[in-house]
Amino acid sequence: MKTDKHPLPRDYKQIALVGRRSSGKTALFEVIGDLKKQAGGPTYEEKTEKVLFGSHYCRLVDLPGINSLNPYDPSEQLSSRFLNDNKIDLIIMVADSTMPARSMELAVEISETGIPFVIAMNMSDEANKHGVKIDIQKLEEEFSVPVVATTAVYGKGVKELTDKCTYMLNYPEKYNPSKFKFTGHIEEGIERLEKIIEECDSVLPFAPRYYALKAIENPDFVPAELMKKISSDRDIIADEFTDGHNTDVFEVISYERHHLAMKTAEAISVMTHRGERPLSDKLDDFLMHPILGHLILVLFFGLYFFSIFAIGGFLADYVAAPIESLADVFAPLKENYSFLWYSINGAYMGFAGVAGIVLPYFLPLVFLATLFEDSGYIARIAFMVDGIMHKIGLHGKSVIPFIMGFGCTVPAIYATRLIDNRRDRIVTAVLLPFIPCSARIAVIFALTAALAGPLWAIVIYAFVLLVIAITGKILSRILSEPTGLILEIPDLKKPSLKNSFSRTWFKIKDFVKDATIFLIGGSIVLGWIEYFDAAHYINTVISPLTEYLLELPKEVGSTLVFGFFRKELIIVMLNQALNVGSLVDLPMTVDQIIVFIIFVTLYFPCFTTFIVLWKEFGKKTVLLSSFLSIVIAIISAYLFRLFFNFF
Amino acid sequence: MSLTDAPANTILKISSIHSGSEVRKKLLALGLHIDDNLMKVGRTKWGPVLVKNLSTDSSKLALGRGLAEKINVEYEN
């Protein structure tokens, strides 16, 4: 099936996989594309693959899941935009057979576009287990398009599906789907608008009916010049629809489709036995129980962090030795080519940072996060924590990026994509840098253990969480009212290790591609700072803050610059700056160390986070976040300084 | 009565939703419509409300408390 060797000919066909989230689209994409790349989990950007259907060279596109062609969150926008702006020759609508009613509504919408489509009733094995029988014959009659029952995970029915697609591509003229008529005056109004659009005879990728409906329910999906021609008629017809009842015209159309979908769903699916409640429901009684649920949640978090640090620590030690041995490969350069040595040493430090500290913690973090995302437990966590999150002006869905933030801020920023409301996404993204990532946790533990004792670590943690809560509260006051939580709770299912492994691999590649260049680049700059012995100048520049305001030793200034690039460097540079062998004999009092840790934990996310935040949210958000971080770090550290001076 | 005051584990019918059109659109997309039958799962005095949408494949949906207060339901006779 795969045709990677030669590029696509000019007249290639484009096939889009469309369906609701977790309906098995990506699994189907894999089997058809016969490639084992990424599987399972939410798709954030579309993925494409070149495939061969009969004699047709095709570009198969796997789009993020959507509930309807009227998009809500960023990934849904992407799918609708893609379908709108590209030539699509065939749509494979992937439906979750366990949820026939919801899939029918999307199928009706797709039939309106006029683009030839095939329906894959996926997860058919799962449906049988749930006692849902789908009458494929009846479904084909209803839509008069080919329908195939598939189970993508085992590749069942996929051969038949691709044959049907090839047939559709060979004889596009044979495709005349049944037209779903709305009721009485609404249908009459839409057909009037359809005729007007036909008269405009501008070349349009979709059928006139699609534009007639979209003009009424979601105008910004209609090309501007067409909208200009039909907007007066559109308004007359829209008023006709709503004068009957006071609902918004959007709802009138949506109800029509809903009733059509319900009628079809009842006709094609029959519940054989509901039997006893599925295991997932029974489990939920415990997982979402007001008291028990929270206990399990605390236990779960404990286990989650413990295993991250256990596995992370083990991997870090395992990798430490070989990385160290690398150092003496270029050691001899030091005497005569010292500039070269400092640059290489900088790059080496960057590499050692990524491979030695970031990746060992990143691997278990992302793997475990995908595991419980796959199982559906993450929706339960979001549900349980919504109450607390609401207090800081957010809602349950932000908990997912927050959890990942404890491991590393960068994957957490990617995870904010699943939050649909733009405002909530920005507030979450701005708060994320305050969550101590694994590097900062290592700094806090190392310094408190060496000089101040573990009790202080807890105090610092509590203070940081307090800062997050207060900042969240202030931010949510300034920005508009937070929207309430609206979250689908999918059935719990056994997470598939295969999916989690391949998705972790895909994310690691993503991270290494984005982060490594900046990490190593930044570290080379650090090497030069060392070479030109610029530390002295940096110290004096920052001394008003470090020496006078926070009453810390002057030499600490340069470690802040190093910390900007990579947090874990702080410990190494602190020793060097105060020329001591190990942390224990640092010439700093307990209160100086605490003030220093507070400042370092809050003052700025790392350079990589800065870049990823910029790429993901744009200049305004990243500048707001950086300014906020520095201001809050100074205030917090100064508060602690006052506290210590007082006692 | 509002969804938050409704008893749990009894079949309810949505009579009206008094929220902004943006939120109503989102609920429509997730399959929550006026006259749909749903059942409230578990009864808590704070935090989000969990409902099972009986008329569309009994999919489960968690709604923030503020939003749940804006959804009016009646008993399904």
Side-chain angles (χ1 to χ4, degrees):
Chain A
M1 283 304 210
K2 228 144 78 57
T3 58
D4 264 352
K5 264 71 75 204
H6 28 70
L8 280 169
R10 229 185 346 73
D11 60 352
Y12 68 89
K13 295 274 194 312
Q14 182 147 247
I15 303 176
L17 277 161
V18 175
R20 288 185 53 252
R21 267 191 204 106
S22 64
S23 57
K25 276 194 314 316
T26 309
L28 199 58
F29 171 77
E30 290 248 312
V31 174
I32 298 176
D34 182 28
L35 90 169
K36 291 289 164 287
K37 203 164 61 153
Q38 192 217 9
T43 314
Y44 294 127
E45 337 68 35
E46 86 269 12
K47 291 185 299 306
T48 60
E49 198 45 56
K50 296 189 269 290
V51 263
L52 196 61
F53 276 110
S55 61
H56 304 277
Y57 282 103
C58 308
R59 186 164 170 263
L60 186 65
V61 182
D62 175 17
L63 294 168
I66 47 173
N67 284 305
S68 87
L69 291 181
N70 299 313
Y72 290 101
D73 63 47
S75 52
E76 280 192 11
Q77 303 271 10
L78 191 118
S79 309
S80 310
R81 272 287 150 233
F82 183 87
L83 289 172
N84 240 287
D85 308 343
N86 290 284
K87 169 184 89 66
I88 309 279
D89 300 285
L90 179 70
I91 292 180
I92 301 177
M93 196 232 147
V94 184
D96 174 352
S97 311
T98 58
M99 292 192 171
R102 295 283 295 287
S103 326
M104 286 310 110
E105 220 164 300
L106 183 56
V108 169
E109 269 194 272
I110 291 178
S111 71
E112 287 159 8
T113 61
I115 296 181
F117 73 106
V118 177
I119 299 178
M121 289 306 286
N122 199 21
M123 297 192 180
S124 41
D125 287 9
E126 198 75 23
N128 300 342
K129 242 191 291 160
H130 280 256
V132 177
K133 278 274 167 302
I134 307 282
D135 179 344
I136 299 291
Q137 234 51 46
K138 194 82 181 64
L139 190 50
E140 281 193 338
E141 278 150 31
E142 288 287 328
F143 282 93
S144 53
V145 287
V147 177
V148 177
T150 60
T151 311
V153 180
Y154 306 118
K156 260 200 215 153
V158 176
K159 173 83 180 64
E160 198 195 333
L161 177 68
T162 44
D163 295 345
K164 292 247 162 98
C165 291
T166 316
Y167 176 81
M168 293 281 280
L169 290 171
N170 293 344
Y171 311 100
E173 70 292 348
K174 283 241 179 59
Y175 168 73
N176 51 20
S178 35
K179 190 168 178 197
F180 282 85
K181 289 220 176 308
F182 291 162
T183 48
H185 72 287
I186 295 178
E187 179 61 29
E188 184 266 327
I190 291 174
E191 268 157 17
R192 253 184 20 240
L193 198 54
E194 264 183 71
K195 276 197 200 54
I196 298 165
I197 292 175
E198 266 148 23
E199 276 134 27
C200 303
D201 59 51
S202 45
V203 173
L204 297 167
F206 292 158
R209 184 174 179 82
Y210 172 80
Y211 292 107
L213 283 165
K214 278 291 171 275
I216 294 172
E217 63 176 338
N218 203 342
D220 48 28
F221 272 86
V222 177
E225 78 302 340
L226 175 61
M227 196 58 202
K228 268 206 294 308
K229 289 187 206 146
I230 60 170
S231 61
S232 51
D233 303 294
R234 179 259 174 206
D235 297 340
I236 303 160
I237 294 169
D239 297 342
E240 275 165 30
F241 288 175
T242 50
D243 68 1
H245 18 65
N246 55 18
T247 51
D248 155 358
V249 75
F250 173 89
E251 287 179 54
V252 169
I253 306 278
S254 172
Y255 279 122
E256 291 296 324
R257 266 196 213 107
H258 176 60
H259 295 308
L260 281 172
M262 296 298 285
K263 206 155 46 64
T264 330
E266 260 129 40
I268 58 127
S269 72
V270 66
M271 296 293 285
T272 48
H273 66 281
R274 199 54 181 134
E276 19 73 29
R277 288 167 66 216
L279 178 63
S280 155
D281 267 12
K282 284 193 208 132
L283 268 180
D284 270 342
D285 295 348
F286 298 100
L287 293 180
M288 298 172 106
H289 183 275
I291 304 121
L292 221 48
H294 283 89
L295 280 177
I296 300 172
L297 193 60
V298 169
L299 199 71
F300 171 80
F301 275 144
L303 212 64
Y304 174 68
F305 287 122
F306 174 75
S307 34
I308 285 184
F309 285 106
I311 304 170
F314 168 74
L315 286 178
D317 305 341
Y318 184 77
V319 170
I323 291 185
E324 241 100 58
S325 62
L326 259 177
D328 32 32
V329 163
F330 57 89
L333 282 173
K334 189 151 187 183
E335 292 78 27
N336 20 47
Y337 310 93
S338 61
F339 177 75
L340 190 60
W341 183 83
Y342 272 100
S343 318
I344 299 176
N345 185 41
Y348 161 72
M349 294 286 276
F351 166 72
V354 172
I357 298 171
V358 178
L359 271 184
Y361 285 99
F362 192 77
L363 263 167
L365 160 83
V366 175
F367 179 70
L368 289 173
T370 39
L371 212 60
F372 60 69
E373 203 169 342
D374 212 21
S375 67
Y377 181 60
I378 216 162
R380 272 79 184 163
I381 298 179
F383 175 78
M384 299 301 293
V385 196
D386 182 70
I388 311 157
M389 297 301 272
H390 209 67
K391 300 256 179 326
I392 55 169
L394 284 171
H395 56 69
K397 274 192 203 169
S398 320
V399 80
I400 301 153
F402 276 8
I403 299 174
M404 302 190 79
F406 278 98
C408 173
T409 321
V410 173
I413 293 172
Y414 292 135
T416 58
R417 288 181 184 167
L418 58 88
I419 298 172
D420 35 41
N421 176 292
R422 178 119 184 88
R423 171 221 167 273
D424 294 342
R425 263 191 87 194
I426 293 180
V427 172
T428 314
V430 167
L431 289 178
L432 272 179
F434 291 118
I435 297 182
C437 61
S438 47
R440 273 176 275 178
I441 294 172
V443 167
I444 295 173
F445 278 150
L447 289 177
T448 45
L451 289 155
L455 183 61
W456 277 108
I458 298 163
V459 167
I460 292 170
Y461 259 85
F463 182 80
V464 167
L465 293 179
L466 188 68
V467 163
I468 295 173
I470 297 168
T471 325
K473 211 77 186 106
I474 300 164
L475 271 179
S476 64
R477 275 286 171 286
I478 304 163
L479 300 174
S480 60
E481 243 305 295
T483 54
L485 171 80
I486 304 174
L487 175 69
E488 276 180 288
I489 309 279
D491 283 348
L492 283 169
K493 60 182 169 64
K494 202 163 63 55
S496 90
L497 281 172
K498 186 178 79 61
N499 278 2
S500 302
F501 270 120
S502 67
R503 219 152 62 70
T504 307
W505 161 247
F506 192 72
K507 276 197 175 149
I508 300 268
K509 231 171 28 167
D510 229 16
F511 169 76
V512 168
K513 187 160 55 71
D514 283 354
T516 313
I517 317 152
F518 300 112
L519 265 172
I520 293 186
S523 308
I524 294 179
V525 168
L526 299 184
W528 293 335
I529 292 177
E530 252 185 294
Y531 174 73
F532 295 112
D533 189 12
H536 176 65
Y537 306 107
I538 299 171
N539 289 343
T540 34
V541 163
I542 303 180
S543 63
L545 169 69
T546 50
E547 210 173 356
Y548 303 106
L549 190 64
L550 302 179
E551 291 158 23
L552 295 171
K554 203 154 76 84
E555 299 72 14
V556 150
S558 62
T559 56
L560 297 184
V561 172
F562 287 105
F564 164 66
F565 285 100
R566 283 202 349 270
K567 287 285 179 293
E568 58 275 10
L569 274 181
I570 288 174
I571 307 174
V572 173
M573 287 306 156
L574 205 56
N575 286 351
Q576 234 173 357
L578 299 164
N579 46 57
V580 284
S582 83
L583 290 178
V584 179
D585 28 1
L586 275 173
M588 284 167 86
T589 60
V590 172
D591 52 276
Q592 278 182 325
I593 269 291
I594 301 301
V595 167
F596 177 71
I597 296 173
I598 288 287
F599 185 79
V600 155
T601 310
L602 293 170
Y603 82 115
F604 204 78
C606 60
F607 182 56
T608 321
T609 310
F610 182 83
I611 299 287
V612 170
L613 253 177
W614 187 318
K615 270 201 315 192
E616 194 74 13
F617 285 91
K619 200 148 30 72
K620 209 154 53 72
T621 313
V622 77
L623 289 181
L624 167 73
S625 148
S626 319
F627 173 73
L628 210 59
S629 308
I630 294 174
V631 163
I632 288 176
I634 296 173
I635 296 169
S636 319
Y638 188 61
L639 277 176
F640 268 78
R641 168 48 61 203
L642 292 180
F643 169 78
F644 284 119
N645 292 353
F646 187 69
F647 283 99
Chain B
M1 73 197 152
S2 86
L3 183 58
T4 37
D5 317 328
N9 303 325
T10 45
I11 299 179
L12 306 162
K13 194 150 88 89
I14 303 179
S15 51
S16 62
I17 302 177
H18 307 288
S19 66
S21 71
E22 211 46 50
V23 171
R24 267 213 302 278
K25 281 184 191 167
K26 181 92 171 101
L27 291 175
L28 288 179
L30 292 178
L32 213 60
H33 300 79
I34 309 270
D35 306 333
D36 271 3
N37 291 342
L38 53 84
M39 182 192 285
K40 205 164 110 173
V41 177
R43 184 150 165 62
T44 54
K45 282 170 267 335
W46 47 270
V49 171
L50 185 63
V51 288
K52 223 183 209 175
N53 189 335
L54 301 175
S55 33
T56 38
D57 324 314
S58 65
S59 51
K60 280 196 282 235
L61 201 60
L63 301 170
R65 186 149 280 270
L67 182 57
E69 264 145 21
K70 295 191 184 117
I71 299 175
N72 286 342
V73 287
E74 327 140 1
Y75 290 105
E76 170 60 359
N77 32 37

